[in-house]
């Protein structure tokens, strides 16, 4: 039998916290066999790699296959968490070991009383902390509690599914540096909150952010002065019902600059006083954010009879600057139910900011309003404020409309 030393699969440890702590003594790695584990409140350690995706026969880390061999850390001790919508049980989050995808307004908060608070607890002075090929699910407050300024963490090939079940935390909260590669964030309110002023660049590549409902920080909220670059990432089905929900955008730049390349923003729904799925400079000036080859499609803002200005895609504020290069805006809708004066944009609204559009196309975007609605509403781009400047170079507009008087319900 196993001697529990963790020296080989035959002698595998059965105590994960002890094995992880032991790896911290000698810059080690912890390989975790496929299976479901209930543990948490672990202190992240420098120069330690946590790896999942093993069948239990491998001799090289490169042999791990997390798509085939699932290593799952679950905070749901009783394995009974379920999705909730309007206080109704919408079914188990996990059924027979398989994750069930949520709808756009479902929360993962059913039966969360037994859930473990965090997988990793707060830490400082942690560098080169790596996680690869692991699934984290159903932790009550998040996977990483707040990491301080001097931290450096990377996640690759990880799934973060239905976390923040208590709806009061954030899946990952850091003031330090983070790199995310080939990760999936699904079904969690408040997915990633970046703050602080670390030297370097936060990086997100080849990731998916999907199905977040009214989280305090939406999908990504960046208030850091640190640069944030995002590449080949999809943002879809963020639901934000009001401005008071801490500006819960799919993507929120509020400090640092960054480049967003080859990304997709699709099927987001905002309503009433929400400020839209992508916000630049809501809580502070963003010096320059550049969108390159990005697609904004089928996003909807149902304003109702709310009095504020709204947009279905991007809002730029506080003298922030944006460049849209080789982008596409298609099938986006801003709707209103009142005939009173309103200011709406189906794609981009620039409030005291600067925007340049280069080789960008706009097609089938509409402002949907009753006949007789008054006010300065245009189908694609709206500007306001004395210090606003917009430039368009080699752009195309096709089948965009305003005041179409249909008031189509959007689900």
């Amino acid at each position: 039998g196993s001697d529990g030393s963790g020296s080989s699969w035959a002698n595998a440890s059965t105590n994960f916290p002890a094995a992880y702590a032991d790896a911290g003594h000698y810059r080690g790695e912890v390989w975790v066999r496929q299976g479901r584990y209930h543990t948490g409140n672990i202190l992240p350690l420098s120069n330690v790699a946590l790896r999942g995706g093993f069948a239990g026969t491998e001799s090289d880390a490169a042999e791990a296959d997390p798509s085939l061999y699932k290593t799952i850390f679950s905070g749901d001790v009783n394995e009974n968490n379920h999705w909730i919508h309007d206080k109704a049980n919408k079914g188990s989050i996990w059924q027979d070991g398989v994750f069930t995808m949520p709808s756009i307004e479902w929360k993962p908060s059913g039966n969360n009383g037994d859930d473990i608070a965090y997988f990793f607890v707060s830490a400082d002075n942690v560098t080169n902390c790596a996680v690869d090929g692991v699934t984290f699910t159903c932790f009550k407050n998040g996977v990483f509690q707040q990491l301080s300024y001097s931290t450096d963490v990377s996640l690759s090939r990880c799934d973060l599914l239905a976390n923040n079940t208590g709806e009061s935390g954030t899946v990952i909260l850091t003031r330090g540096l983070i790199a995310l590669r080939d990760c999936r964030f699904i079904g969690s309110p408040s997915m990633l909150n970046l703050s602080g002023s670390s030297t370097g660049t936060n990086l997100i590549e080849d990731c998916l952010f999907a199905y977040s409902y009214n989280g305090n920080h939406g999908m990504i909220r960046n208030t850091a002065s640190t640069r944030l670059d995002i590449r080949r990432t999809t943002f879809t089905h963020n639901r934000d019902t009001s401005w008071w929900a801490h500006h819960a955008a799919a993507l929120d730049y509020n400090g640092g600059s960054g480049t967003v390349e080859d990304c997709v923003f699709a099927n987001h729904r905002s309503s009433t006083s929400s400020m839209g799925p992508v916000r630049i400079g809501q809580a502070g000036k963003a010096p320059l954010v550049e969108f390159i080859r990005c697609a904004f499609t089928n996003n909807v803002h149902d304003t109702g009879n709310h009095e504020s200005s709204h947009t279905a895609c991007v809002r730029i504020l506080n003298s922030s600057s944006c460049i849209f290069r080789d982008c596409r805006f298609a099938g986006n809708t801003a709707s209103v139910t009142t005939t009173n004066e309103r200011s709406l944009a189906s794609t981009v609204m620039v409030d005291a900011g600067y925007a340049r559009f280069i080789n960008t196309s706009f097609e089938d975007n509409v402002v949907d309003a009753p006949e007789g609605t008054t006010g300065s509403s245009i189908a694609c781009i709206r500007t306001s404020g004395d210090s606003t400047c917009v430039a368009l170079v080699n752009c195309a507009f096709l089948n965009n409309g305003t005041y179409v008087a249909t008031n189509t319900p959007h689900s």
Side-chain angles (χ1 to χ4, degrees):
S2 172
D3 64 12
S5 66
S7 60
S8 66
W9 290 118
N11 291 314
S13 171
T14 58
N15 186 330
F16 173 81
Y20 186 81
D22 189 47
H25 296 154
Y26 51 88
R27 296 173 176 257
E29 296 189 352
V30 180
W31 297 8
V32 185
R33 183 184 300 169
Q34 65 177 333
R36 201 172 190 91
Y37 303 87
H38 298 95
T39 187
N41 299 322
I42 308 294
L43 181 69
L45 299 175
S46 295
N47 304 308
V48 174
L50 165 59
R51 301 188 185 278
F54 295 96
T57 59
E58 298 83 356
S59 58
D60 191 307
E63 297 178 85
D65 186 352
S67 65
L68 183 61
Y69 305 113
K70 298 290 187 182
T71 299
I72 302 171
F73 288 99
S74 173
D76 182 10
V77 176
N78 293 329
E79 290 296 335
N80 61 355
N81 282 20
H82 60 79
W83 299 108
I84 284 181
H85 176 56
D86 285 342
K87 300 182 179 180
N89 184 337
K90 306 303 290 186
S92 298
I93 293 175
W94 290 84
Q95 294 185 355
D96 300 321
V98 178
F99 178 71
T100 58
M101 290 292 290
S103 181
I104 193 170
E105 293 189 350
W106 293 5
K107 300 180 180 181
S109 51
N111 285 338
N112 63 15
D114 62 298
D115 294 353
I116 300 169
Y118 297 97
F119 184 80
F120 284 118
V121 295
S122 292
D124 194 8
N125 297 315
V126 173
T127 60
N128 193 30
C129 174
V131 183
D132 176 69
V134 173
T135 295
F136 299 99
T137 188
C138 295
F139 286 91
K140 190 168 188 177
N141 297 326
V143 175
F144 280 86
Q145 196 176 12
Q146 181 168 287
L147 301 173
S148 193
Y149 296 95
S150 54
T151 55
D152 177 3
V153 174
S154 67
L155 284 79
S156 56
R157 301 190 297 175
C158 290
D159 286 345
L160 300 96
L161 311 176
N163 291 290
N164 189 16
T165 60
E167 301 181 52
S168 60
T170 300
V171 179
I172 297 178
L173 176 61
T174 180
R175 293 180 176 177
L177 294 177
I178 193 164
L180 303 173
R181 296 179 175 89
D182 194 18
C183 293
R184 298 193 306 161
F185 291 71
I186 301 175
S188 305
S190 301
M191 294 179 171
L192 177 62
N193 186 11
L194 307 172
S195 61
S197 55
S198 298
T199 301
T201 300
N202 289 315
L203 181 63
I204 300 171
E205 293 183 327
D206 303 299
C207 292
L208 170 68
F209 292 82
Y211 296 99
S212 182
Y213 180 47
N214 254 15
N216 287 341
H217 303 119
M219 291 181 169
I220 299 178
R221 186 161 199 257
N222 179 43
T223 60
S225 59
T226 308
R227 182 179 178 85
L228 170 62
D229 288 339
I230 306 173
R231 304 185 182 105
R232 301 177 302 277
T233 291
T234 294
F235 300 83
T236 184
H237 292 91
N238 184 69
R239 179 72 171 102
D240 180 11
T241 60
S242 68
W243 179 89
W244 64 261
H246 209 74
H247 325 302
L251 177 60
D252 200 351
Y253 272 88
N254 282 299
S257 297
T259 301
V260 184
E261 297 182 61
D262 300 300
C263 292
V264 174
F265 300 85
N267 303 305
H268 301 294
R269 183 176 176 185
S270 307
S271 60
T272 63
S273 57
S274 164
M275 298 188 73
V278 179
R279 295 192 276 264
I280 310 298
Q282 168 58 36
K285 179 179 178 180
L288 177 62
V289 180
E290 186 169 8
F291 293 85
I292 302 173
R293 296 182 302 276
C294 292
F296 301 81
T297 60
N298 302 315
N299 301 295
V300 174
H301 196 304
D302 287 323
T303 304
N305 62 357
H306 195 267
E307 296 180 1
S308 298
S309 304
H310 301 293
T311 178
C313 295
V314 183
R315 190 162 185 176
I316 304 166
L317 307 100
N318 288 336
S319 299
S320 299
S321 297
C322 274
I323 297 175
F324 299 87
R325 189 186 305 273
D326 300 312
C327 293
R328 178 174 180 258
F329 293 84
N332 302 292
T333 301
S335 69
V336 65
T337 59
T338 179
T339 58
N340 295 333
E341 182 174 339
R342 293 293 181 269
S343 298
L344 305 172
S346 57
T347 61
V348 180
M349 181 173 288
V350 187
D351 293 327
Y354 309 93
R356 283 179 284 172
F357 301 87
I358 303 168
N359 299 330
T360 293
S361 64
F362 302 83
E363 55 186 298
D364 299 318
N365 304 292
V366 297
V367 172
D368 180 357
E371 273 190 76
T373 300
T374 60
S376 54
S377 296
I378 63 174
C380 290
I381 305 166
R382 180 187 180 275
T383 64
S384 66
D386 295 336
S387 58
T388 295
C389 180
V390 172
L392 296 96
V393 179
N394 198 32
C395 294
F397 295 81
L398 177 66
N399 296 329
N400 300 290
T402 186
Y403 297 143
V404 296
T406 61
N407 286 115
T408 306
H410 302 284
S411 59

